[in-house]
Amino acid sequence: MPPRPYPPAAHPLGAPHHARRRSGTGASAAIGGFLGVLAGILVLLVIGANLLGEEDGPDTVSALPTPSFTFTPPTPAPYSPPNIDLPNRTAEATREAERQPTQVQRTPAVNRSLQNNSLYRAGRLPTVSCPAGSVNIGSHAQVKSLFLRTARCMNRAWATSLRKVGIPHMPPGYAIAAVRGRGACGDYPPRGSIVPYYCPRNTTIYASTSAMTRGLGNMPGYSTVTSWHGALTAIMAHEYGHHVQYLAGLTDAWWQRTLQSTSQSTRLALSRRLELQATCLAGMFMRAAAPSYPVTSQGRNILYYFHSRVGDQPGYPRDHGSPANNLRWFRMGFDHNNARQCNTWRASASAVS
């Protein structure tokens, strides 16, 4: 889920300290009285001077500007290729090379817009070896280990595809709690929710294993839909999809459009396009990992069924897309495994409702 902006906390000013008054002797009181009369005369002289010099009326005090908070995601560190030692050349070969025109390889400019982003030229995710093994989803240690193992697979797959189109890659961080915690974008899981979240402020994915599997309060966990750990991996792949959006500049473009919108329905529609795109990117990864994970035909059907049950629910804001469209976009990613198929920003309104 995308982060919500949290303005910085206000720090109230402390009350001024009042000096304590001390009683003195009679002489001190007399001297104090004389000084008080003298001070009073001086005050009257100052007031009179101000009244005589006042021509344009009293000065007005300008209101202090109201502080505002604008979320700007941090810029990822650029990818630095390793130093390569070139073989020694003879002096003649060196002179010959210097006589030849220099061939400069230019990296194409990265398009960070919503509809024409360079991400859509990345093509398919390469197949990655990512065996999940046997996982008891009731065990925090085993689920956390699964998340971290598959995270390394996501790093390998996405780094290859992103660098191919000039988008620098860096892995996200992870904070995985057994019950709950507090991250840079708020509590995890968010209040009244069981889902993990991605925070672009520090490019970290936050998750609670017990909330995801068993649920919180009256909100049941995902184990009521399926006990197969592949569904949990798909959820984390969705959060990684938000990281990919951040690296490609889609998150910033979405946020700027959201800030410019004055309509709540438009802001919700923008959020749905962002979320459904992350679901499509998750489908791409699950397809890339399918042979080794493994995702059998039965596992594929479980993933389809699972995504047909998640999404916007009655009584909640329509910011993630309907269950039917969550299934639509997960299948788009899984069936095609091609980034251009995940361009929700060019899709019809009904496809992202």
Side-chain angles (χ1 to χ4, degrees), residues 88-104:
N88 293 328
R89 298 180 178 181
T90 63
E92 182 178 356
T94 300
R95 288 192 295 271
E96 177 63 24
E98 291 174 349
R99 286 194 293 269
Q100 299 297 325
T102 303
Q103 299 295 326
V104 179

Side-chain angles (χ1 to χ4, degrees), residues 87-161:
N88 293 328
R89 298 180 178 181
T90 63
E92 182 178 356
T94 300
R95 288 192 295 271
E96 177 63 24
E98 291 174 349
R99 286 194 293 269
Q100 299 297 325
T102 303
Q103 299 295 326
V104 179
Q105 292 184 346
R106 299 184 182 277
T107 302
V110 176
N111 188 317
R112 297 183 174 274
S113 67
L114 293 173
Q115 293 191 358
N116 301 303
N117 198 280
S118 293
L119 173 65
Y120 308 138
R121 296 188 287 103
R124 298 171 59 87
L125 278 185
T127 300
V128 289
S129 177
C130 197
S134 178
V135 178
N136 174 11
I137 68 170
S139 166
H140 164 70
Q142 292 188 33
V143 172
K144 179 178 179 179
S145 176
L146 171 71
F147 288 167
L148 296 180
R149 288 200 310 276
T150 53
R152 291 190 287 271
C153 302
M154 295 178 203
N155 289 339
R156 294 198 303 272
W158 282 112
T160 300
S161 292

Side-chain angles (χ1 to χ4, degrees), residues 175-305:
I176 303 171
V179 181
R180 60 175 56 87
R182 183 163 184 81
C185 287
D187 294 338
Y188 64 98
R191 189 174 300 277
S193 176
I194 63 173
V195 297
Y197 73 73
Y198 172 73
C199 180
R201 291 184 179 182
N202 60 353
T203 64
T204 298
I205 296 173
Y206 294 89
S208 162
T209 59
S210 63
M212 293 174 68
T213 56
R214 293 192 291 273
L216 292 172
N218 295 325
M219 183 171 289
Y222 295 121
S223 59
T224 60
V225 181
T226 175
S227 61
W228 183 49
H229 52 74
L232 302 182
T233 299
I235 296 171
M236 297 300 283
H238 169 99
E239 300 307 323
Y240 200 105
H242 283 312
H243 182 61
V244 172
Q245 290 171 318
Y246 163 74
L247 295 175
L250 288 159
T251 303
D252 189 47
W254 156 77
W255 185 247
Q256 296 304 320
R257 286 275 299 274
T258 300
L259 291 177
Q260 294 165 5
S261 174
T262 58
S263 165
Q264 175 69 359
S265 61
T266 300
R267 289 193 292 267
L268 289 173
L270 290 170
S271 177
R272 290 195 298 271
R273 290 182 188 271
L274 187 82
E275 293 294 339
L276 291 170
Q277 183 174 60
T279 296
C280 185
L281 299 177
M284 288 180 59
F285 171 75
M286 295 305 294
R287 179 61 178 270
S292 60
Y293 191 86
V295 180
T296 62
S297 59
Q298 179 184 7
R300 179 200 61 200
N301 292 336
I302 290 174
L303 289 174
Y304 289 170
Y305 174 72

